[in-house]
Every structure is written in structure tokens, then in C-alpha cells.
Amino acid sequence: MSTAAALRGIGRQLDDPASLGRALDELLATRPEPPTLLALGEPTHGIEAFPLLRNELLGHLVERGYRSIVLETDVFAASVVDDYVAGGTAEIDTVLATGFSHGFGAVPGNRELVEWLRAHNAGRAEQDRVRFHGFDAPLEFSGAPSPRRALSSANDYLPAALRPASVRDLDALLGEDADWTNQAAMFDPAASVGDSDRARALRIVADDLASALRRAAPGLRSADPTGYDHAVAHARTAQGLLRYHAAMASPAPDRIATLLSLRAEMMAENLLAIVAQEQRRGPSLVFAHNIHLQRAQSHMPVGESEVSWGSAGALVGLTLGERYVFLATDANPDSDPGTLQGVLAEATTRRALFPAPALRAALAPSMGTGEPIVPGHIPLGPADLDGADAVIFVADTDGRRHQYW
């Protein structure tokens, strides 16, 4: 029996929403306990098929009690979207432009998602609404922001009597925001202020603020749970940003891998905070690039070399265990028959779901990995199946990327 024939026996064809729902229910029924966080990855950004699959999946999961969607976007910017889907008065175009980082508001499928959430939530009680969250750090590809907003927000939330003494010099230590946002620092460690005396002093301030908030939790959180959680998120972000700036200032050969792992740490902390906030309302669906959500070590080409780091999914999986489920996705309309993408394409009509253990067992040891279809596409390889619970392969896409930046 050929590999493709064996895979056709393993896979579940996802030809329509009903078959998608049945296949997902069957997969989750095999789990020892229901997931708290269900992760759906995509192999690159900007190809319409993956966000549309996400939207379809969310519609089914909401019927099963899921009450939040979490995207790879700035944790603070996402509050603009969450306000809108709860009935806010902002214009949809403004929401898409300001509520998503990385330009993702222009990604096909995201407008449809936001409009569906708003319509779904209209007239529903708060506990039955589907909330929108971001779990990314406030970072962009060109660098990192000043920690001013995060530090100031955490400090301003605390009553004056509870503020640590170290915040008295906050403005002087922060200096000009331009010192922190210098884009040259992304490539030149000498251009970063992250290892300066004032940056090191700010790390003490951030730690003091986080500690003060933790110690004040019994009084503050019971009176204002939303405000308290936001302040804690700002303190957590300030600590992460200052670690990130310190790594930007380092000339170490593993500098890029360290930056990626620090971003992953911030992502994981945000995801776990969202899970804690949402646990009484229902499970969450998170959607991001495969490399952020897989349970295994992530790898990415940078220049002529490859870097690896522990992904956010790997970190979250350590805490949630079986309550974290990851579905990887991939596509390639013109796949070489000797590759994972080639055999999956041959076994797929439109879309198909393949449980990872059975898929691993069916593959020949010599199975290769297909070529990227667009820059930024990281094709799944056989080794990546160790970090996934299932793979959804999409055959009916032309692989065209829509411009979103």
C-alpha cells in the first residue's frame, strides 16, 4: 500500500463545516481530559485559507462552550477589538488598524472574524460573549518600544502608599523614548541602551512594581479584577521588555535565538494569564504561526544559519499538559511526491485532518520536507510532528499571499 493510500485511511476529509466539526469532536474525544487551550497554527501569515479555517473552527467551538479567541497580536492593542466586539462605538476600519499589531488587521479573514464576533455577542449576557485577546508582546520586527507605558501604567494603578521607593526616579531613568526605539539596535548591539546603568536600574523598578502588585492582590483584585489584571499585564510586560532590550545590547553569537526565546516567554506568560482569566467562562482557541504554538523546539532560518528556541506552545504545554492541544496546518499546491507535503496533498481532496501519532507511523523514514511556497512559509517536516497533536493539510489554496503590511 502506498503512503498516500495509507494516509487516506488515517485522515478525515474536511469538506464542509459539518465534517470539520465531526472530525474535531472525534479528535478531542480521544483526549484524557478536555483542552483548556486549543491551538491552531498556520505555516505563514497572509494566505487566506488559514484564517478562514480558523473562523470556521471557532464557530463550531463556540457551540461547544469556548468563550474566547486569542490571536498573535499585541496584548494591549487587542483591547480595542475586544471593546468593539462587546458593542463599542468605534468604526470597524479604525478597529482593524489599531487593534491588531504587525499589520494583521489587513489579513483576509480578520475583518470577517471581528464582524462575526460583534454580531454573535449582540444581546448576549457577558458570560456568554466571546472575548477577543492578543497574546503577543508589544514588539515589532524592527525593534522594541520603550518600557515607559508598561511601567507607568503599573505604577499609576497602585495606590500611592503601595508604590515602591524605586519609582521615584522613573522618568529620569526612562529618558527619551527615542533612545529605546532606535531601529539600528535590532542589528547593532552597540546602538541599544538595554545594558546601560539606567536600564539595569529600571529592571529593579519593574521587579518592585510586579512584587507590589502581587502583595496587594487580596485587596486590589477583589475590588477591581479587570483593572488589576491589566496592571499586572503591564508589570509583566515591563519586565519582559527590559529583558528583551538587554538581549538586544548583547553581542553574543546566540543573540537572535535569545531574542526569539524571550518573545516566546512573554507570549507564554500572556497565554497562561488569559487561560486563568477565562477558566470560569470556558476554553479558548488560540491562532498563530506554527512555530509559536508547537510543543517541540522551534527552528527558523536567519540569514545563512538556523536558530532554535523553546516556543510559547512548548512553554505553555509544560504547565497545561494534556489540557493543551495543538493542531498544525500546512499547504503546498505543487508538492514534490517525496515530501510530507506531497503525500498529504495526494491524500487530501480539499482539507483533511491527520492525527499526528498515526501520521508519524505511516511515513517512510526517508520522507523529506517540501519547499516554502512564499517567503516566511516554514513547511512542516516529519520531525515537527512530535510537537503536534494533529495536522490539517489544505489542498485547495493557490498559496497566494495577500499584502498586509
Side-chain angles (χ1 to χ4, degrees):
M1 180 186 295
S2 69
T3 301
L7 295 186
R8 280 192 288 272
I10 293 168
R12 291 297 307 275
Q13 300 301 323
L14 313 178
D15 296 324
D16 51 39
S19 57
L20 172 64
R22 286 194 299 271
L24 183 62
D25 288 346
E26 290 175 7
L27 176 72
L28 297 183
T30 66
R31 308 291 300 180
E33 55 184 311
T36 301
L37 188 63
L38 176 61
L40 177 69
E42 62 176 348
T44 189
H45 300 308
I47 293 180
E48 186 176 29
F50 302 112
L52 293 182
L53 171 66
R54 172 206 65 199
N55 294 354
E56 201 173 310
L57 195 67
L58 178 65
H60 176 78
L61 291 172
V62 168
E63 295 178 356
R64 299 295 189 270
Y66 281 63
R67 289 295 178 264
S68 61
I69 174 77
V70 190
L71 299 193
E72 183 187 338
T73 196
D74 179 350
V75 61
F76 300 114
S79 63
V80 173
V81 183
D82 192 48
D83 288 343
Y84 180 78
V85 302
T89 58
E91 294 293 328
I92 180 67
D93 289 334
T94 301
V95 171
L96 293 171
T98 60
F100 291 83
S101 52
H102 319 315
F104 286 168
V107 169
N110 281 342
R111 177 184 289 269
E112 292 84 349
L113 171 67
V114 172
E115 291 176 337
W116 183 88
L117 289 170
R118 183 178 173 91
H120 173 86
N121 289 339
R124 280 186 162 83
E126 184 175 352
Q127 65 268 23
D128 294 325
R129 294 174 185 164
V130 180
R131 294 199 60 193
F132 182 96
H133 297 282
F135 77 102
D136 205 354
L139 303 170
E140 288 293 348
F141 307 113
S142 56
S146 164
R148 179 185 305 278
R149 177 190 176 194
L151 288 167
S152 298
S153 296
N155 183 53
D156 291 347
Y157 181 80
L158 280 167
L162 300 181
R163 293 172 187 168
S166 56
V167 303
R168 288 179 300 194
D169 300 323
L170 183 57
D171 286 337
L173 292 172
L174 285 165
E176 298 295 326
D177 286 352
D179 296 342
W180 301 90
T181 58
N182 181 3
Q183 293 186 5
M186 196 67 199
F187 306 99
D188 179 10
S192 172
V193 298
D195 194 38
S196 62
D197 290 343
R198 60 192 177 102
R200 287 192 290 271
L202 283 170
R203 293 179 75 173
I204 294 175
V205 174
D207 185 67
D208 287 348
L209 284 169
S211 175
L213 283 164
R214 283 193 298 271
R215 288 180 281 120
L220 295 180
R221 196 179 191 286
S222 59
D224 179 20
T226 299
Y228 178 81
D229 287 344
H230 285 171
V232 169
H234 279 293
R236 183 173 68 241
T237 298
Q239 293 176 301
L241 283 176
L242 286 162
R243 289 192 293 266
Y244 196 89
H245 278 289
M248 289 177 74
S250 170
D254 62 349
R255 177 174 179 267
I256 297 299
T258 299
L259 290 173
L260 289 168
S261 67
L262 286 169
R263 181 187 177 196
E265 180 186 25
M266 296 173 76
M267 284 178 153
E269 289 176 343
N270 289 334
L271 277 174
L272 290 173
I274 291 165
V275 167
Q277 291 169 26
E278 292 288 348
Q279 61 183 345
R280 293 184 179 178
R281 295 193 333 116
S284 300
L285 171 68
V286 58
F287 178 73
H289 200 292
N290 286 330
I291 62 170
H292 298 313
L293 299 178
Q294 61 192 20
R295 289 175 175 272
Q297 197 82 347
S298 289
H299 304 270
M300 185 172 73
V302 176
E304 297 182 356
S305 60
E306 184 175 80
V307 297
S308 65
W309 71 99
S311 70
L315 296 171
V316 167
L318 291 175
T319 299
L320 296 183
E322 292 290 346
R323 293 179 296 135
Y324 180 71
V325 174
F326 171 51
L327 312 179
T329 66
D330 205 357
N332 192 331
D334 299 302
S335 306
D336 187 290
T339 64
L340 175 61
Q341 289 70 24
V343 294
L344 289 176
E346 191 177 346
T348 303
T349 54
R350 182 189 172 207
R351 305 173 306 197
L353 183 149
F354 302 89
L359 178 56
R360 281 195 301 269
L363 296 179
S366 59
M367 188 65 62
T369 303
E371 294 296 319
I373 53 179
V374 292
H377 173 219
I378 302 178
L380 293 174
D384 295 320
L385 301 180
D386 292 335
D389 295 290
V391 172
I392 297 178
F393 192 81
V394 180
D396 68 339
T397 175
D398 58 9
R400 184 169 66 91
R401 166 178 283 151
H402 295 257
Q403 191 82 16
Y404 59 88
W405 62 89

